Amino acid sequence: MDWMTRLKTGLWEDNPGLVQLLGLCPLLAVTTSFVNGLGLGIATLMVLAGSNVLVSAARRFLSDEIRIPVYVLIIASLVTCVELSFKAWFPALDRSLGIFIPLIVTNCAIVARAELFASRNPVGPSLADGIGMGAGFLLLLCAIGAFRELLGTGTILGGLDKLIGGEPLAGIAVVDGGWLLAVLPPGAFFSLALAIALKNVIDRRNRATRATPAPRDAGRVAS
Amino acid sequence: MSRHGKNPIAGALTLAAIAAVCATLVAGTWQLTRDRIAANAKAELERNLAPALGGLEYDGSLTAAMVELPPPHGLPGRDAAAIYRVYAAGAPVAALIAVTAEDGYAGPIRMLLGVDTNGVVTGLRILEHRETPGIGDGIAHDRSNWAEQFTGRALGAPPLGRWSIRGDGGDFDQLTGASVTPRAVVKAARDTLIYFDANRETVFAMQSAEEAQ
Ligand SMILES: Cc1cc2nc3c(=O)[nH]c(=O)nc-3n(C[C@H](O)[C@H](O)[C@H](O)COP(=O)(O)O)c2cc1C
């Protein structure tokens, strides 16, 4: 499989959040703003790409008995590295994401890619898979974060200072105030449901226009 | 997939080799980031100095008369503690004391307690913690106003025996569903006040890092 296919699979066809419904806990918990979504998305992408590369590089040495401990070891180490890097370079973002950065360890999308893809494929495609899946997760986090922020607080790009430094930024006010429910937990579920529905509508349209009855969920890896 | 067959030694060696690679990765990252992380923690602490002082007037800069106390220092916490002495018109008015409550629900809680020379709390700020979001994180000022109840309290008000959370028969509010976290913070605040009460003179007589140079 080439790079473009791997990317497209992760970004759309087999998107970890929209299709596989993996990693929902961080997805629902931190997406109260675009910047938070972007921050956790970047961190997750880094871990996912790194763990796919390391697992793939080690795949010839992995017997069944040690496979799972090796995944745990690799993922936990990478998460620690990413956490330290965030503390060093994005301290404000680290404070706002708090425990959810260390909790990337428990994002089952990462173990899923290690087991289903990286442990069976060479390093190059595994990196592409990690980047594709990571980017798919990142874009979904950003989209839901931006949507909830706009509805909930009426701003766009609020708190961008957490990423680029400098004085606190309130973001661009679009409407005055907001609909509090959107940034509370129920808002997260509603937003995710809307995103999934939107994807299904687009997929159905595309299939209808192409008029080629592609089997549903073609190419999807069983999880 | 069973490439090692029934050979447990080979599996153990592989695991050890991968563990060594991972440990190197983490150690290298730590080496690269630790200075920046320490600087960030210091900057965060210094940003909280003025809020913890609760609007008291002071001379010059709050960071000028800082002393760092390596353990054992008698204050709460196993790491070094820091005391920022505050002066107005040349006379001591308050101290801002950075300590660690070791017994949080999810690890140590770093906090900053401001106390004036009469022993009255001017403010309490949580600097760093890992308490559960939605349960224990209400101690932080950006989550709730829980920490504001400390302002204006002193060792005699309430009496020492009631310097604990309501659940333990004390005067301090706890957080809904969380008593471990507030208990740790109240205890650390109380012990800091006891230290300050006993060492008031020495605290202001200590040489600051700048003077020592
Ligand atoms: C997942 C989970 C996270 C928790 N996080 C905290 C916390 O951050 N702070 C806290 O004080 N208690 C936390 N608790 C609750 C404590 O276990 C304890 O029940 C609570 O503090 C009440 O203690 P008490 O029995 O002394 O009143 C948590 C419990 C669970 C199951």
Side-chain angles (χ1 to χ4, degrees):
Chain A
M1 258 193 254
D2 65 333
W3 272 75
M4 283 321 287
T5 339
R6 293 297 349 140
L7 288 183
K8 204 168 150 242
T9 308
L11 282 173
W12 189 259
E13 278 148 25
D14 205 17
N15 183 297
L18 284 178
V19 180
Q20 305 179 62
L21 301 181
L22 294 177
L24 291 191
C25 166
L27 190 140
L28 297 169
V30 304
T31 53
T32 49
S33 73
F34 171 79
V35 170
N36 273 2
L38 182 63
L40 193 79
I42 294 172
T44 311
L45 189 152
M46 283 160 52
V47 174
L48 197 46
S51 91
N52 265 14
V53 168
L54 292 184
V55 167
S56 168
R59 72 186 186 284
R60 294 188 199 292
F61 310 105
L62 299 186
S63 58
D64 276 347
E65 295 77 20
I66 61 164
R67 211 172 78 248
I68 304 293
V70 167
Y71 297 162
V72 173
L73 199 56
I74 289 179
I75 295 169
S77 309
L78 288 170
V79 168
T80 309
C81 293
V82 168
E83 190 193 1
L84 290 173
S85 309
F86 266 58
K87 277 195 193 308
W89 285 286
F90 306 113
L93 196 54
D94 175 70
R95 227 169 296 123
S96 132
L97 294 172
I99 193 79
F100 288 101
I101 293 189
L103 277 183
I104 292 174
V105 156
T106 63
N107 186 331
C108 37
I110 298 171
V111 187
R113 292 333 287 171
E115 171 71 1
L116 295 175
F117 198 89
S119 65
R120 300 159 190 201
N121 289 283
V123 173
S126 297
L127 175 63
D129 179 78
I131 292 178
M133 290 289 163
F137 195 63
L138 177 136
L139 289 183
L140 182 63
L141 283 172
C142 289
I144 293 189
F147 180 71
R148 291 178 66 192
E149 180 184 342
L150 182 60
L151 282 189
T153 46
T155 59
I156 296 176
L157 299 182
L160 199 59
D161 57 285
K162 292 181 203 162
L163 207 57
I164 57 176
E167 292 299 305
L169 299 170
I172 307 156
V174 179
V175 288
D176 203 21
W179 183 42
L180 184 64
L181 189 70
V183 285
L184 294 178
F189 285 97
F190 293 145
S191 310
L192 179 64
L194 284 176
I196 295 174
L198 184 67
K199 177 181 187 293
N200 289 346
V201 168
I202 296 176
D203 278 350
R204 193 157 303 159
R205 285 259 163 84
N206 285 346
R207 231 172 283 141
T209 47
R210 261 189 265 122
T212 42
R216 213 177 115 59
D217 287 350
R220 178 166 173 202
V221 192
S223 48
Chain B
M1 282 268 275
S2 195
R3 292 173 185 106
H4 294 123
K6 293 276 167 284
N7 186 349
I9 306 288
L13 288 178
T14 312
L15 199 53
I18 293 176
V21 172
C22 289
T24 314
L25 203 63
V26 172
T29 312
W30 181 71
Q31 198 69 38
L32 272 178
T33 52
R34 65 174 177 169
D35 290 344
R36 286 194 73 104
I37 293 176
N40 289 338
K42 187 140 188 264
E44 172 67 11
L45 167 61
E46 290 178 356
R47 253 196 304 281
N48 279 286
L49 290 175
L53 199 53
L56 278 188
E57 297 279 321
Y58 57 93
D59 300 338
S61 142
L62 284 175
T63 55
M66 188 267 264
V67 278
E68 200 168 273
L69 307 177
H73 39 53
L75 281 160
R78 283 193 285 269
D79 292 338
I83 306 184
Y84 292 78
R85 280 96 38 103
V86 185
Y87 299 86
V93 286
L96 298 156
I97 310 178
V99 297
T100 310
E102 296 288 348
D103 39 5
Y105 185 80
I109 301 168
R110 294 208 317 119
M111 51 190 252
L112 180 70
L113 186 78
V115 46
D116 71 15
T117 36
N118 298 319
V120 178
V121 175
T122 57
L124 173 80
R125 300 279 278 200
I126 302 299
L127 302 173
E128 200 184 328
H129 72 85
R130 301 206 137 208
E131 305 305 290
T132 318
I135 302 182
D137 71 343
I139 52 169
H141 65 92
D142 54 359
R143 287 286 169 196
S144 86
N145 56 8
W146 180 83
E148 285 168 21
Q149 61 178 318
F150 287 84
T151 309
R153 308 274 186 129
L155 272 190
L160 195 57
R162 295 221 304 276
W163 264 85
S164 49
I165 54 172
R166 289 200 200 285
D168 298 342
D171 275 12
F172 288 86
D173 287 334
Q174 46 210 69
L175 295 161
T176 310
S179 57
V180 179
T181 310
R183 187 179 288 130
V185 175
V186 172
K187 182 159 148 277
R190 184 197 64 194
D191 292 349
T192 306
L193 288 177
I194 292 175
Y195 171 94
F196 184 71
D197 191 51
N199 299 284
R200 208 168 304 190
E201 258 84 66
T202 36
V203 161
F204 288 99
M206 283 187 275
Q207 213 181 23
S208 74
E210 275 177 23
E211 289 159 356
Q213 273 166 16

